[in-house]
Amino acid sequence: MKTAPAIAIQTLSKKFGQQTAVDRVSFNVEVGEVFALLGPNGAGKTTILRMLTTLLKPTSGTIQVLGHNLQSESQAVRSLFGLAGQYASVDEDLTARENLQTFSLLNGLTFREARLRTQELLEEFSLINSADKLLATFSGGMRRRLDLSISLIARPKIIFLDEPTTGLDPRTREQMWKTIRQLVQAGTTVILTTQYLEEADQLADHIALIDHGKLVALGTPQALKEKIASKKLNLTFQNELQATQAVQAIAEATNGIVQQTDNMVNVSFNEVDDITKILTNLQVAKLSANDIQIKQPSLDDVFFAMTVGKN
Amino acid sequence: MLETHKTSIFKSTLTMAYRNLLKTLHNPDKLLDVVIQPILFMLLFGYLFSGAIAGNVYAYLPTLVPGILMQSLISAATGSGTQISDDFSTGIFNRLKTLPIPQVAPLAGQLLADILRLLIAATVSLTTGYLMGWRPAAGLGWAILVVILDVFLGWALSWIFALYGLFAKSSTMVESISLMTMLLLVFLSNAFVPVKTLPPFMKILVELNPVSYVINASRTILNAGFWPTSAWIVLGAGIVIISIFAPLTVLVYKRK
Ligand SMILES: Nc1ncnc2c1ncn2[C@@H]1O[C@H](COP(=O)(O)OP(=O)(O)O)[C@@H](O)[C@H]1O
Ligand SMILES: [Mg+2]
């Protein structure tokens, strides 16, 4: 028997009035992987996550969580996943321990179990020293950690993290990454959203690139980089005048995009042959570059190539 | 087959009410409106206006105590709207909605905790009255019956404020609108003044005000020691309010 994917969504759409926030998105998330929804602000990431976590009803499309239909079995399915929202949703008027305890009880634990699990999580997330302080005294990083620990109370098979590191300083972000990797090692499936390419590249096994509610690319970080096979050529000339003349010569040699900034010219192109043509044209025009660099695409390039001019 | 589970409505509602209690313990100022306010109003009206209205404090207290009781209960009832609106803006309700609990449990927990607030408000009002010299003519048993009737009605009203809390943009707004509603309802009633002293036009307004009706019923029970028809009507009104606003609030809550 083939095991069901952690998440399977089919032509998922969400409309807010006239506006289509999510537009026929389909993808599968395999058990045990990190899946990143990558996209700029307003792309529809949170909306997708809210639909996956039963907070929002899809306008159309189907969602399956570990083989369960989300619409027909929503209350039961909720015990399979945990959610840490974009903004830490913890109870400001309670202590960290009380937060964990009440949510443990709500997750169906008995009083005794709730006490034990709370202690365990407080230790695991280095919150034990502030366990009985009110949250008003907590830093942003501590709030996030508490938020995440609350989502992990029931040891969910799947955990959703909406922009888990947005607004965190670099050190706290590293910590969060470490925590996420530990979760995956323990067998949890992680679905996270992020605006940071680096984060997706670092953590994810698969990335879904979302823009304007549409799935614009889907694959491993490596495959995405290769998909936009465009390579970059950076040429530096003596002065701006030469660079301007070079733009002409280069544009005749390639279908790629040619851009000039001061005495530098950047060319994006697909065919390796173009390099030869460009260099020949430059020679004919009696222009010689001081410096030439060829660059492989980064995930940033993929991101910008696919979402360029839209946001 | 994967193991899934659900937490019972009973346990989740009690946990939510317990959470509410914890919040209040950490922030006793949340009780200001149900503790300080009744005391303050009782003292203020009792000692400041009694001379003008009834001649002396003792003569005024039988009129005043049921009025203040209702006033503090309405004030306590507005608290549920503020709290619910607060929970929405902090994202707590979002988290609650992803838990394997019945969807209405957080709302039910809130409304359950509200009963406690209402009981505190009622107790403080009557105790202050007692300390100032008020004695229910019909005896303690009837006084307890009035508390039950008025708290029930207050609880019914808190469903209306809860619904408002779901619609409002911010809890500050809920607070100020609720305060205004409370002041209008209470001051345009017979809570503090005998109706016969009013000009004709005000008289009509005051007599139309349902709060006057409730206070009249309470006074009759406290002073005469029997259960009048008006008390049945108040009870019925409470049931009607709950059967309209509870499902409506739950519906709006679920769709949010
Ligand atoms: N409740 C809502 N009502 C109306 N529009 C919404 C609502 N939630 C999100 N949107 C719109 O949907 C689009 C996607 O939003 P969102 O999913 O939050 O993006 P992201 O999380 O990728 O930044 C945005 O244009 C946003 O304004
Ligand atoms: Mg978002």
Side-chain angles (χ1 to χ4, degrees), chain B residues 192-255:
Chain B
F192 309 118
V193 290
V195 180
K196 54 180 180 293
T197 63
L198 297 174
F201 142 81
M202 287 293 285
K203 214 171 181 164
I204 295 173
L205 268 184
V206 166
E207 274 168 355
L208 281 176
N209 186 345
V211 172
S212 305
Y213 205 81
V214 182
I215 293 174
N216 262 338
S218 310
R219 281 183 189 143
T220 308
I221 300 174
L222 284 172
N223 298 332
F226 77 98
W227 187 261
T229 319
S230 56
W232 286 117
I233 293 174
V234 170
L235 196 66
I239 292 171
V240 170
I241 292 175
I242 292 172
S243 45
I244 293 173
F245 280 88
L248 201 62
T249 308
V250 169
L251 195 77
V252 172
Y253 170 78
K254 278 187 171 177
R255 307 184 109 226

Side-chain angles (χ1 to χ4, degrees), chain A residues 16 19 21 40-48 86 162-163:
Chain A
F16 293 112
Q19 188 202 4
N41 215 348
K45 306 180 295 294
T46 299
T47 307
I48 295 178
Q86 190 164 350
D162 198 1
E163 304 204 10

Side-chain angles (χ1 to χ4, degrees), chain A residues 125-194:
Chain A
F125 283 82
S126 331
L127 289 166
I128 196 77
N129 290 326
S130 320
D132 298 306
K133 291 194 186 127
L134 288 185
L135 293 205
T137 61
F138 273 38
S139 69
M142 287 161 81
R143 260 164 232 257
R144 282 288 170 109
R145 291 211 299 278
L146 178 62
D147 194 49
L148 184 56
S149 68
I150 292 173
S151 340
L152 295 174
I153 287 170
R155 303 176 208 278
K157 302 273 184 292
I158 304 173
I159 176 98
F160 295 97
L161 306 170
D162 198 1
E163 304 204 10
T165 64
T166 301
L168 296 188
D169 60 74
R171 202 176 62 92
T172 324
R173 173 186 297 188
E174 284 288 341
Q175 275 179 0
M176 187 57 93
W177 285 0
K178 214 176 104 196
T179 310
I180 293 171
R181 291 197 180 102
Q182 281 165 357
L183 282 176
V184 177
Q185 260 169 15
T188 316
T189 308
V190 177
I191 291 127
L192 58 87
T193 75
T194 180

Side-chain angles (χ1 to χ4, degrees), chain B residues 169-217:
Chain B
K169 288 225 159 51
S170 71
S171 57
T172 348
M173 197 161 121
V174 179
E175 239 171 347
S176 44
I177 299 264
S178 303
L179 182 68
M180 233 154 60
T181 317
M182 188 273 283
L183 288 177
L184 275 178
L185 276 176
V186 173
F187 280 92
L188 280 180
S189 79
N190 61 356
F192 309 118
V193 290
V195 180
K196 54 180 180 293
T197 63
L198 297 174
F201 142 81
M202 287 293 285
K203 214 171 181 164
I204 295 173
L205 268 184
V206 166
E207 274 168 355
L208 281 176
N209 186 345
V211 172
S212 305
Y213 205 81
V214 182
I215 293 174
N216 262 338

Side-chain angles (χ1 to χ4, degrees), chain A residues 50 55 66 68 75-76 78-79 83 89-91 93-94 98 103 106-109 147 150-151 157, chain B residues 1-2 4-7 11 19 22-23 26-27 30 91-92 94-101 103:
Chain A
R50 285 171 62 82
L55 287 174
L66 291 163
H68 294 265
Q75 196 193 334
R78 282 189 208 114
S79 67
L83 165 71
S89 43
V90 285
D91 222 321
D93 299 327
L94 300 184
E98 288 164 350
F103 280 107
L106 291 174
N107 267 298
L109 274 60
D147 194 49
I150 292 173
S151 340
K157 302 273 184 292
Chain B
M1 193 64 195
L2 262 160
T4 59
H5 80 265
K6 301 173 183 184
T7 309
K11 184 173 177 185
R19 159 187 177 260
L22 281 177
K23 283 170 85 115
H26 286 305
N27 283 302
K30 279 194 204 293
I92 290 283
N94 264 343
R95 158 154 268 145
L96 293 169
K97 280 184 163 189
T98 64
L99 293 176
I101 56 174
Q103 293 284 279

